[in-house]
Amino acid sequence: MYSQGLIGADGRTEETPEFLARFQKRIDAEEKIEPKDEMPEGYRRTLIRQIGQHAHSEIVGMLPEGNWITRAPSLRRKAALLAKVQDEGGHGLYLYSAAETLGVSREEMTEELLSGKAKYSSIFNYPTLSWADMGTIGWLVDGAAIMNQIPLCRCSFGPYARAMIRVCKEESFHQRQGYEIVMTLAQGTPEQKAMAQDSLNRWWWPSLMMFGPHDADSQHSDQSMAWKIKRFTNDELRQKFIDATVPQAEYLGLTIPDPDLKWNEDKGGYDHGTIDWDEFWRVVKGHGPMAKDRIKARKKAWDDGAWVREAALAHAEKRRARKIAAE
Amino acid sequence: MAVWEALLELADDHLVLGHRISEWCGHAPMLEEDLAMPNMGLDLIGTARTLYDHAGKLEGKGRSEDDLAYLRDEREYRNCLLVERPNEDFAHTMLRQFYFAAFMRPYWLAALNSADATVRGVAGKAEKEMAYHIRHAGEWVIRLGDGTEESAARMRDAVEALHIYVDELFDSSDAARMAEAAGVLPVRADLRDTWERTVSEVFAEALLEQPKAAYAQRGGREGIHNEALGHLLAEMQVVHRAHPGARW
Amino acid sequence: MTATTPLWEVFIRPRNGLAHKHVGSLHAADEVMALQSARDVYTRRGEGNSIWVVPSAAITASDPDQTAENFEPTADKIYRHPTFYDTPEDVGHM
Ligand SMILES: [Fe+2]
Ligand SMILES: [Fe+2]
Ligand SMILES: [Fe+2]
């Protein structure tokens, strides 16, 4: 997910060159930046945007998989999927908390998501159409997310790095449970195997898009790399992901839907076909097949829950008043 | 009638309620509850799995937990009506959870002395889980009951709506009576006082009253359900049944 | 727009004998729900056996601008550390 968090990030700052140089020196010395430390406004804004979008991705990411909890075909899978989707909610919660240290509230971030102002990872705007998608999402989508997230554990901003360490620890079961699902299908009945292949066909390219535009087209990458908010480029991470995933697909006897995919001896990695960037930008800009439905579902949960949150606050107020009266 | 069927009733209660609460995942009123409700669901589904497995073994026909969960129709499901009630809103959901846990906690405590080792094992784990469900759902009942005007009205609606499903909790089917006579499961009717005490303590703080007389709805143990269960099962079983014999 | 639900800091003690350690934060209307949410959010994998929750607003933090005056004066007081002193090897570990 989540290198897409930088799309549209405005890292420009007004600070003096001396100030910026001093800050850069701390970053270069691998010092962590903590919330109350002085920091360039652009650094703060970039982080709020990136962490917020990362958090939104986790929260919206609960929906496509949540779509299959009630239909999981065995009780073992049902429990694992429920625990997995719950984890994603936890990731959102940790990340909102990390962003809140920068002075933005969860309510503000939520409203930005619901109004369409804030983005989230494009991958979650695709529909989950079969049980196999639960496997493929764990395997590819969580797999791609992990590629992105492991370097973020060393991000220069302390609260983000700490949240990511927690997230990465929890993620380790997600990809494995996904791969296990796909493996069971690939080794199952012909219908199950076809279901797995169809799912891979639909999720492969969107998964590659998760790493964001090519480095040459990624305007905000350089500043974020310098500030160590980002540690590897989009293309580096995408390459790593492909190289790791192709043998996993081969093991399953599944075919990656890219006729141009082939091993390149010289670079020691796979070459891949052209990514459909028109589709990517269409989805990023909110025209993905499920985009409207995803926001609608989040908005419904938020609006329907308003009376509950208000009641909790009202009750807390009454408790406080009673406590004071009793003293 | 046999002891394994009484275990099946219990398993169905846990699975159906676990399924219901899992329907909230991703749609809760606040993120914190998006984590709390799956915890409760996972407790319930975990207990259901152990009970199905054990029931299948006692039956002796080689039925697995998934055979029992996925290959029975609504007429064959034996859960009580309370657990299949739709989520409606957060007030209904928390009250349903609270009622069920307030029953199951003393049930599992009594089952710690079961003649059946597996039941004793489940009881040791589940009584703690239910204690927490009472606490979490109970705190919400209090907050919603004594929160805003709207929340209090919704909570009262929930009490009104769910009240008629309470009595069935304390009924024992023929199978349950057999299991009770064999010392495998506790006598349901004996748990009424404890349940009433738990509920009245929370209701006092929640400014709620238990409706007095109401015509109690029964039938779950004979497979006479409300219409909602059929839809729940259709959804739950669709993938499994579409691929007979497949492994997942 | 609804009012903001207060923020709480969560501290967990992994096991007896260790100190409570800050693990993150969450939102709750009151301390009872904060404690329950902390249990549900931060102890799903056996992370601990005791939880503290503190309203974030109740924390008074040192000012990063005063970091130098707060923490640098201690750097040259090396006589506070045992290695500052010479003791003969013959007397053994002290
Ligand atoms: Fe994720
Ligand atoms: Fe995640
Ligand atoms: Fe994940």
Side-chain angles (χ1 to χ4, degrees), chain A residues 1-2 58 87-88 91 142 149 167 171 174:
Chain A
M1 328 204 168
Y2 317 160
E58 302 283 356
D87 271 356
E88 304 301 1
H91 300 170
D142 287 81
Q149 291 176 158
V167 168
E171 285 289 354
H174 296 180

Side-chain angles (χ1 to χ4, degrees), chain C residues 34-88:
Chain C
L35 212 43
Q36 292 193 358
S37 294
R39 179 261 190 197
D40 283 321
V41 173
Y42 288 106
T43 68
R44 283 173 293 125
R45 288 174 166 84
E47 288 90 337
N49 67 6
S50 171
I51 306 172
W52 289 347
V53 290
V54 178
S56 308
I59 290 177
T60 309
S62 62
D63 184 345
D65 287 346
Q66 296 169 343
T67 302
E69 64 200 68
N70 274 339
F71 307 114
E72 275 173 30
T74 188
D76 65 350
K77 314 295 195 286
I78 47 174
Y79 40 79
R80 286 194 173 116
H81 299 278
T83 45
F84 179 74
Y85 302 95
D86 291 327
T87 48

Side-chain angles (χ1 to χ4, degrees), chain A residues 165-176:
Chain A
I165 289 171
R166 213 181 168 82
V167 168
C168 285
K169 246 188 236 164
E170 300 187 357
E171 285 289 354
S172 56
F173 107 78
H174 296 180
Q175 192 182 14
R176 290 174 64 120

Side-chain angles (χ1 to χ4, degrees), chain A residues 116-153:
Chain A
K117 196 173 157 223
K119 300 272 176 276
Y120 55 89
S121 183
S122 56
I123 192 81
F124 300 120
N125 285 330
Y126 292 89
T128 51
L129 300 177
S130 75
W131 170 252
D133 289 0
M134 298 305 98
T136 313
I137 287 181
W139 172 31
L140 299 183
V141 176
D142 287 81
I146 293 167
M147 288 273 166
N148 259 316
Q149 291 176 158
I150 286 177
L152 284 172
C153 295

Side-chain angles (χ1 to χ4, degrees), chain B residues 2-3 7 10-11 20 24 45 48 50 67 70 83 110 135 145 159 192 206 208 238 244:
Chain B
V3 169
L7 295 174
L10 266 183
R20 274 284 182 242
W24 274 101
I45 292 168
T50 314
D67 292 337
Y70 287 93
V83 296
R135 205 142 56 80
V159 170
R192 185 101 209 193
L208 291 169
V238 61

